[in-house]
């Protein structure tokens, strides 16, 4: 499975605290949508303009509108912003299908640069009318190891007034990246290199808000979490077979769920670590499965500390290790049984603050998506 990682580095304009560029990334099973918006001016006003533009593009895409139509709609609305005192933003927006095919639209923004086979190449767009405005369209395909670079004009106009009549330009960035790649620089280091160079050619400071984003195509690391029995026992075998067919790490959360897996696979459940306290649930073992532990209580504790940094995980509990695993993979699939455990709705669970399984999974999924993960939920 291909995963499109967003590597983004940015700096605000000299003497500004807030960057006037912003970006958003949204992943689904079908595609990855990434937008980079550059608000007019600098500081807070530019930041608000960029955030507004980015959210409009993402919301239109969520609503099922094609990327081309969404970009045309937003670009057309910017014509009014040029003439009136309302927020204006340039933008680049890309949609990448899960097979790597992509399409990019640019409005008043530099052309994208494709990093493929160790060579950087600026894509030459075709242009479309969007009311009184014009947007550029480029397309291609990303294979494993490739990257697609989007930049704000703080990069291409760097050096303006410092020996570069019109700034470095997209061609200058292309040549610079090719030199770096020829010397063995990987995609992760290139954004920082470009930012450093942009400041150097401006005399040691950033003449404008400056952003470099690379969408890096790589093989996804995956985790599947099986939790809760299916609503109908007749689906137990199918439930377990689906779980065992998933690539990557496999985790079972729930003692009843573990019993189902054990029965369907005819493999013994063994106690690995007894629960030592409320914050350290017991851990079990089943051959071929990476982690087996408790259900609702465990998932609640995972949600409570999921956003903590990894250096906080010092006790090596099963809760901490599952959090760390979720933080370090790209794709998390939850296979959730719809059978209702009446015990989880009891007053004691409410008193302890233990949410029902379905509620907790939804909260964890939302948290993971904010971290940039692709999260898939399947209910059985």
């Amino acid at each position: 499975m291909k995963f499109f990682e967003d590597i983004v580095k940015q700096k605000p304009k000299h003497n500004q605290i807030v960057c006037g560029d912003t970006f958003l990334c949204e992943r689904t099973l079908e595609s990855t949508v990434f937008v980079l918006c550059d608000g007019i001016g600098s500081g807070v006003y530019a930041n608000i303009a960029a955030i507004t533009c980015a959210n409009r593009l993402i919301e239109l895409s969520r609503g099922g509108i094609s990327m081309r139509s969404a970009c045309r709609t937003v670009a057309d609305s910017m014509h009014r912003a040029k003439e009136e005192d309302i927020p204006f933003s340039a933008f680049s927006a890309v949609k990448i299908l899960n097979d790597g095919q992509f399409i990019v639209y640019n409005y008043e923004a530099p052309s994208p640069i494709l990093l493929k086979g160790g060579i950087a190449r600026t894509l030459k767009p075709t242009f479309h009318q969007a009311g009184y405005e014009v947007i550029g369209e480029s397309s291609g395909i990303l294979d494993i190891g490739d990257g697609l670079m989007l930049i704000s004009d703080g990069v291409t106009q760097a050096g303006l007034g410092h020996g570069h009549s019109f700034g470095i330009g997209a061609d200058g960035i292309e040549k610079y990246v090719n030199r770096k790649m020829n010397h063995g620089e990987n995609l992760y280091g290139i954004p920082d290199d470009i930012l450093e160079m942009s400041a150097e050619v401006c005399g040691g400071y950033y003449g404008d808000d400056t952003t470099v984003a690379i969408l890096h195509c790589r093989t996804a690391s995956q985790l599947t979490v099986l939790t809760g029995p299916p609503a109908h026992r007749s689906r137990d075998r199918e439930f377990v077979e689906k779980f065992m067919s998933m690539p990557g790490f496999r985790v079972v959360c729930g003692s009843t769920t573990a019993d189902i897996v054990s029965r369907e696979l005819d493999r013994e459940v063994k106690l690995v670590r007894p629960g030592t306290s409320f914050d350290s649930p017991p851990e079990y073992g089943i051959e071929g499965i990476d982690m087996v532990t408790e259900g609702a209580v465990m998932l609640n504790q995972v949600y409570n500390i999921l956003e903590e940094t990894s250096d906080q995980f010092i006790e090596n509990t099963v809760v901490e290790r599952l959090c760390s695993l979720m933080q370090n993979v790209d794709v998390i699939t939850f296979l959730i049984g719809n059978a209702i455990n009446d015990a989880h709705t009891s007053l004691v669970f409410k008193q302890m603050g233990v949410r029902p399984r379905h509620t907790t999974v939804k909260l964890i999924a939302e948290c993971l998506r904010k971290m940039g993960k692709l999260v898939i939920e399947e209910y059985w």
Side-chain angles (χ1 to χ4, degrees):
M1 182 181 195
K2 289 180 176 179
F3 183 80
F4 306 98
E5 175 186 17
D6 53 309
I7 308 164
V8 185
K9 301 291 183 179
Q10 60 184 183
K11 291 288 186 180
K13 183 178 178 178
H14 181 61
N15 285 333
Q16 295 292 333
I17 298 173
V18 178
C19 186
D21 299 341
T22 197
F23 64 93
L24 288 175
C25 184
E26 184 163 278
R27 296 180 174 88
T28 68
L29 193 55
E30 292 76 31
S31 65
T32 296
V33 173
F34 182 92
V35 296
L36 171 61
C37 298
D38 178 4
I40 193 170
S42 56
V44 174
Y45 185 82
N47 180 256
I48 291 172
I51 290 172
T52 302
C53 181
N55 279 284
R56 284 185 67 193
L57 288 165
I58 290 291
E59 286 300 326
L60 287 168
S61 176
R62 280 180 188 160
I65 297 175
S66 71
M67 183 58 73
R68 176 183 288 184
S69 296
C71 292
R72 279 180 168 175
T73 298
V74 175
D76 184 37
S77 70
M78 292 301 168
H79 180 74
R80 182 176 160 220
K82 287 181 176 179
E83 300 175 340
E84 301 177 28
D85 188 23
I86 56 178
F88 172 90
S89 180
F91 64 80
S92 297
V94 57
K95 183 171 186 176
I96 313 174
L97 300 181
N98 58 13
D99 64 356
Q101 294 185 70
F102 69 83
I103 191 162
V104 190
Y105 292 96
N106 298 93
Y107 170 68
E108 299 285 339
S111 297
I113 298 173
L114 181 63
L115 312 176
K116 195 175 188 69
I119 298 172
R121 176 173 61 88
T122 304
L123 298 179
K124 305 303 180 185
T126 56
F127 293 96
H128 306 278
Q129 285 295 130
Y132 290 100
E133 301 298 314
V134 175
I135 58 172
E137 176 184 315
S138 311
S139 61
I141 188 164
L142 294 177
D143 295 311
I144 300 296
D146 295 345
L148 181 67
M149 182 188 294
L150 305 178
I151 52 180
S152 65
D153 63 7
V155 178
T156 52
Q157 293 181 11
L160 191 66
H162 294 268
H164 297 269
S165 300
F166 300 100
I168 300 170
D171 291 341
I173 298 300
E174 176 187 307
K175 292 175 183 176
Y176 177 81
V177 173
N178 275 320
R179 286 198 302 272
K180 285 292 181 180
M181 294 175 74
N182 286 338
H183 284 87
E185 181 68 272
N186 62 39
L187 297 189
Y188 292 95
I190 286 175
D192 281 323
D193 290 339
I194 293 176
L195 287 183
E196 184 178 341
M197 180 269 292
S198 298
E200 285 178 359
V201 299
C202 286
Y205 64 91
Y206 294 96
D208 195 2
D209 299 306
T210 306
T211 303
V212 181
I214 294 179
L215 296 168
H216 176 212
C217 178
R218 57 176 173 77
T219 301
S221 55
Q222 301 188 55
L223 163 67
T224 303
V225 177
L226 187 79
T227 183
H232 302 285
R233 183 168 179 172
S234 61
R235 301 197 71 191
D236 283 0
R237 177 166 292 277
E238 182 187 0
F239 190 47
V240 174
E241 286 177 348
K242 175 64 181 287
F243 175 62
M244 295 303 293
S245 71
M246 298 295 289
F249 299 99
R250 292 189 286 264
V251 173
V252 174
C253 288
S255 54
T256 304
T257 314
D259 289 339
I260 292 171
V261 173
S262 173
R263 184 186 70 237
E264 296 300 331
L265 296 179
D266 193 23
R267 299 176 189 174
E268 183 183 357
V269 180
K270 298 179 180 179
L271 180 64
V272 176
R273 294 185 186 181
T276 56
S277 62
F278 179 76
D279 63 341
S280 182
E283 183 176 359
Y284 308 96
I286 299 176
E287 182 186 348
I289 297 172
D290 298 285
M291 188 183 296
V292 182
T293 185
E294 295 296 323
V297 172
M298 169 75 178
L299 291 169
N300 272 266
Q301 293 185 20
V302 166
Y303 173 68
N304 291 339
I305 66 169
L306 186 56
E307 292 183 288
E308 299 296 329
T309 57
S310 58
D311 59 2
Q312 298 293 313
F313 301 152
I314 58 175
E315 299 297 332
N316 197 36
T317 65
V318 66
V319 179
E320 291 180 350
R321 284 186 284 117
L322 181 53
C323 285
S324 181
L325 193 53
M326 288 181 172
Q327 290 177 353
N328 286 291
V329 298
D330 303 315
V331 182
I332 300 98
T333 300
F334 289 97
L335 302 179
I336 309 134
N338 279 326
I340 302 299
N341 188 334
D342 293 333
H344 294 169
T345 61
S346 71
L347 189 60
V348 173
F349 270 72
K350 291 181 180 179
Q351 180 179 327
M352 295 170 64
V354 178
R355 309 168 193 85
R357 186 193 315 271
H358 282 57
T359 301
T360 312
V361 169
K362 288 287 186 186
L363 291 170
I364 292 173
E366 181 182 351
C367 184
L368 290 169
R369 289 187 180 105
K370 288 178 181 177
M371 294 179 182
K373 313 295 183 183
L374 171 58
V375 183
I376 303 161
E377 300 167 57
E378 291 188 17
Y379 292 86
W380 290 67

